[in-house]
Amino acid sequence: MNHIGDRLIVEGRRKRTALVVGLDPDLRYIPDVVRQGVDPETGEGAAEAIYAFNRIVIDAVAEHVVAVKPQLAYYEIYGADGIAALEQTIRYARSKGLLVLNDAKRGDIGPTSAAYARAFLGEGPIAGDMVTVNPFLGSDGYMPFIEAAEAAGKGVFVLLKTSNPSSGELQDLKLGDGDKLYMKLAAELGRLGARSVGAHGYSCVGAVVGGTYPEEAAAIRAALPSAIFLVPGYGAQGGTAEALRPFFDARGEGAIISSSRGIIYAYRNLGEQWPSLSEAEISLAIGEEAARAKEAINAVRGAG
Amino acid sequence: MNHIGDRLIVEGRRKRTALVVGLDPDLRYIPDVVRQGVDPETGEGAAEAIYAFNRIVIDAVAEHVVAVKPQLAYYEIYGADGIAALEQTIRYARSKGLLVLNDAKRGDIGPTSAAYARAFLGEGPIAGDMVTVNPFLGSDGYMPFIEAAEAAGKGVFVLLKTSNPSSGELQDLKLGDGDKLYMKLAAELGRLGARSVGAHGYSCVGAVVGGTYPEEAAAIRAALPSAIFLVPGYGAQGGTAEALRPFFDARGEGAIISSSRGIIYAYRNLGEQWPSLSEAEISLAIGEEAARAKEAINAVRGAG
């Protein structure tokens, strides 16, 4: 099956989950057992620790998620070594049957967007199955991503209404005709997605809609029925499972809910001794939290 | 001198230039002498060829530019190997006394933007002196970059009005109060820049204003007198030197003009035999085109 909309729906049904786990590895929050090889002065060994941590996370969450979502910034800090850890992480996730969504938020003028699309949706070492895209440069900035996704059966998630507190400063601006910016963009993405709708009703053009904005989600869902929503903001950013209902379609599908820090650092809730926990202990805490998040989301979307 | 606004002005005076050359290495346009080690099947050797090409470009343009501007997409295609070539390129440019402006167009929610700011404005292997930033997520998305720049004496260039044909789709949207989006954003950046204005009148908060939009530039210049403009679009994208006047201040300063393909692939104008040119020939063509662009821009800004 070479259509990302169909793959996400089918995988979600098979594994009974709408959860995506973000891989945002931050050495400050990684236990000693994983980061013991890192030189605190030079940072040497950081990339190895990041990959070792990601393996633990992937093993712990694999049965509960449809995809993992590496957040590029946390790898770029370490330059080529960090990107090597990303490459290893992508290969490892795929070997576990997981889809890979690179949270890169790229966007540029046409020829450069085409180069980014090649990097993230092509065949190269950091390419995954999906990528997040920033639409600020307009259609000639995001079309190369959509065209690459259509050609490869892969997916893009265009930022529409992001989860952060100040997302409204630009995204909610009221235009001369009274519409908000994100609704105008939603209408445009709906037109573009119409040409790649798959057997299960969803296209390769998804949208990022923050879990912290359920009212906006209802309006966007109505305007954009064939877009899968990538929903960040659940968990550490304050979004609750109850608020997620309007993000799903009538069957409880069509959205993937992303949580990063709330799951991958779940062991920090075990108390101040978290840095000295064993690998088995951190793995258990991460897996239990992923299962809990999956079930909380399933209850809300009627898949419980 | 630890203030990017001052450094750009002083370097521009010392070298009598407002030119920046973009490093967008694309193997399709690189001569055989440089790419002969690249395996056409596997792409192996591509990163080495990219770095070899960038060294030729940097040597040829160093006396004509204040900074080089690596375009991240062209390195990310090759994953960790490509980022290793970027690291080498940054070190080499600095060894030649050049400032480095990473054209990354990053932007995310707060904690992730802070991680990107650390990657590009910190002390790590891909950090340079300046970075381009996408403001679509609002102030909590771009403030971590501005704060990192202020702390380090480095610079950010926030996308305001980009050079591409469809930049107006979002950036020119008329808001309820009649203003265009980019003018509202310009006003906000003006307030933020006010706290880091240096001895020469410019702050660490610059703006990207496309050379293809001179009328918009005049309005933005008036609203944002202490922002250095990064002006792409000159050359291959169709912007002319004559159109650049409104981007500069009354002294002919305050803007850096970026050209990429028009300069680094200048030897392709020598005819169909370009793939077989020698290193000396391509170096000469690149250097001459950089000198020509520098002088054309100097004539317009009154520094000729």
Side-chain angles (χ1 to χ4, degrees):
Chain A
M1 182 170 38
N2 195 24
H3 184 289
I4 193 67
D6 290 340
R7 287 181 76 184
L8 284 169
I9 297 295
V10 170
E11 276 298 283
R13 287 179 188 173
R14 186 177 73 78
K15 298 173 92 170
R16 208 179 58 85
T17 186
L19 184 64
V20 168
V21 165
L23 300 176
D24 306 19
D26 186 327
L27 284 184
R28 291 174 297 177
Y29 308 138
I30 292 181
D32 295 340
V33 65
V34 179
R35 68 175 174 197
Q36 59 196 355
V38 183
D39 185 319
E41 294 295 311
T42 65
E44 207 160 334
E48 290 76 6
I50 283 174
Y51 176 50
F53 180 68
N54 283 348
R55 272 203 319 271
I56 294 170
V57 173
I58 289 168
D59 286 341
V61 307
E63 67 177 296
H64 306 300
V65 302
V66 287
V68 288
K69 182 175 78 66
Q71 171 51 263
L72 269 283
Y74 294 90
Y75 304 86
E76 293 187 359
I77 287 173
Y78 301 102
D81 291 346
I83 301 301
L86 174 66
E87 293 181 7
Q88 293 173 301
T89 298
I90 290 171
R91 281 197 300 269
Y92 191 74
R94 289 183 147 179
S95 78
K96 298 290 167 182
L98 298 175
L99 293 165
V100 173
L101 195 180
N102 275 310
D103 197 354
K105 298 189 175 67
R106 299 299 194 256
D108 212 296
I109 65 167
T112 304
S113 278
Y116 276 129
R118 190 175 152 204
F120 288 106
L121 299 174
E123 301 291 331
I126 63 168
D129 305 289
M130 301 161 270
V131 66
T132 53
V133 170
N134 185 313
F136 189 67
L137 282 90
S139 57
D140 60 24
Y142 55 75
M143 283 310 295
F145 289 97
I146 292 175
E147 287 161 5
E150 288 172 346
K154 296 186 171 184
V156 303
F157 290 93
V158 180
L159 306 185
L160 263 194
K161 173 64 184 167
T162 55
S163 59
N164 55 313
S166 71
S167 70
E169 290 174 10
L170 265 74
Q171 298 159 26
D172 291 6
L173 282 175
K174 274 216 174 157
L175 311 180
D177 59 10
D179 271 356
K180 288 185 176 176
L181 193 158
Y182 66 80
M183 287 303 292
K184 180 181 163 69
L185 193 55
E188 180 60 22
L189 294 181
R191 277 188 290 277
L192 291 167
R195 66 191 198 189
S196 66
V197 174
H200 292 282
Y202 287 96
S203 77
C204 74
V205 184
V208 176
V209 186
T212 42
Y213 296 106
E215 286 180 29
E216 289 82 347
I220 300 172
R221 180 40 82 207
L224 209 44
S226 68
I228 292 181
F229 288 177
L230 168 62
V231 185
Y234 173 72
Q237 288 185 55
T240 64
E242 291 66 36
L244 293 174
R245 188 68 201 86
F247 294 82
F248 291 101
D249 65 21
R251 296 175 314 216
E253 297 178 327
I256 51 177
I257 312 300
S258 171
S259 178
S260 304
R261 290 168 282 167
I263 290 176
I264 67 176
Y265 304 129
Y267 51 83
R268 296 182 70 215
N269 296 327
L270 298 176
E272 284 185 9
Q273 83 287 9
W274 70 262
S276 58
L277 293 174
S278 72
E279 186 172 321
E281 287 168 322
I282 68 169
S283 174
L284 184 68
I286 294 169
E288 284 184 348
E289 185 57 31
R292 197 158 25 232
K294 173 183 74 174
E295 295 302 345
I297 294 163
N298 280 346
V300 166
R301 69 190 182 100
Chain B
M1 181 170 37
N2 194 25
H3 184 287
I4 193 67
D6 291 340
R7 287 181 76 185
L8 283 169
I9 297 294
V10 169
E11 276 297 283
R13 287 180 189 173
R14 185 176 73 79
K15 298 174 91 171
R16 208 179 58 83
T17 186
L19 184 65
V20 169
V21 165
L23 301 175
D24 306 19
D26 185 326
L27 283 185
R28 292 174 296 177
Y29 309 137
I30 292 181
D32 296 340
V33 63
V34 180
R35 68 177 174 196
Q36 59 196 356
V38 182
D39 186 319
E41 294 295 310
T42 66
E44 207 160 332
E48 289 77 6
I50 283 174
Y51 176 51
F53 180 68
N54 283 348
R55 271 203 319 271
I56 295 171
V57 173
I58 290 168
D59 286 342
V61 306
E63 67 176 297
H64 306 299
V65 303
V66 288
V68 288
K69 181 174 79 65
Q71 172 49 264
L72 269 283
Y74 294 90
Y75 304 86
E76 293 188 358
I77 287 172
Y78 302 102
D81 291 346
I83 301 301
L86 174 67
E87 294 181 7
Q88 292 173 301
T89 298
I90 291 171
R91 282 198 299 271
Y92 190 75
R94 290 183 147 178
S95 79
K96 299 290 168 181
L98 298 174
L99 293 165
V100 174
L101 196 179
N102 275 309
D103 197 355
K105 298 189 175 67
R106 300 300 194 254
D108 212 296
I109 65 166
T112 304
S113 279
Y116 276 129
R118 191 176 152 204
F120 288 105
L121 299 173
E123 301 291 330
I126 63 168
D129 305 290
M130 302 161 269
V131 67
T132 53
V133 171
N134 185 313
F136 189 67
L137 283 90
S139 57
D140 60 25
Y142 55 75
M143 283 310 296
F145 290 96
I146 292 176
E147 287 162 4
E150 288 172 347
K154 295 186 172 184
V156 304
F157 291 93
V158 179
L159 306 186
L160 263 193
K161 173 64 185 168
T162 55
S163 58
N164 55 313
S166 70
S167 71
E169 290 174 10
L170 264 76
Q171 298 160 27
D172 291 6
L173 282 174
K174 275 216 174 156
L175 310 180
D177 58 10
D179 272 355
K180 287 185 176 175
L181 194 157
Y182 67 79
M183 287 303 292
K184 181 181 162 68
L185 193 54
E188 180 59 23
L189 294 181
R191 277 188 290 276
L192 291 167
R195 65 191 197 189
S196 65
V197 175
H200 293 281
Y202 286 97
S203 76
C204 74
V205 185
V208 176
V209 186
T212 42
Y213 295 107
E215 285 180 31
E216 289 82 347
I220 300 172
R221 179 87 273 165
L224 208 45
S226 68
I228 291 181
F229 288 178
L230 168 62
V231 185
Y234 173 72
Q237 288 184 54
T240 63
E242 291 66 36
L244 293 176
R245 188 67 200 86
F247 294 82
F248 291 101
D249 64 22
R251 296 175 315 213
E253 297 178 327
I256 51 178
I257 313 301
S258 171
S259 178
S260 304
R261 290 169 281 168
I263 291 176
I264 68 175
Y265 304 128
Y267 49 84
R268 296 183 68 214
N269 296 326
L270 297 177
E272 283 186 9
Q273 83 287 9
W274 70 262
S276 58
L277 293 174
S278 71
E279 185 172 322
E281 287 167 322
I282 69 168
S283 173
L284 186 67
I286 294 168
E288 284 184 349
E289 186 58 31
R292 197 159 24 233
K294 173 183 75 174
E295 295 303 344
I297 294 163
N298 280 346
V300 166
R301 70 191 183 99

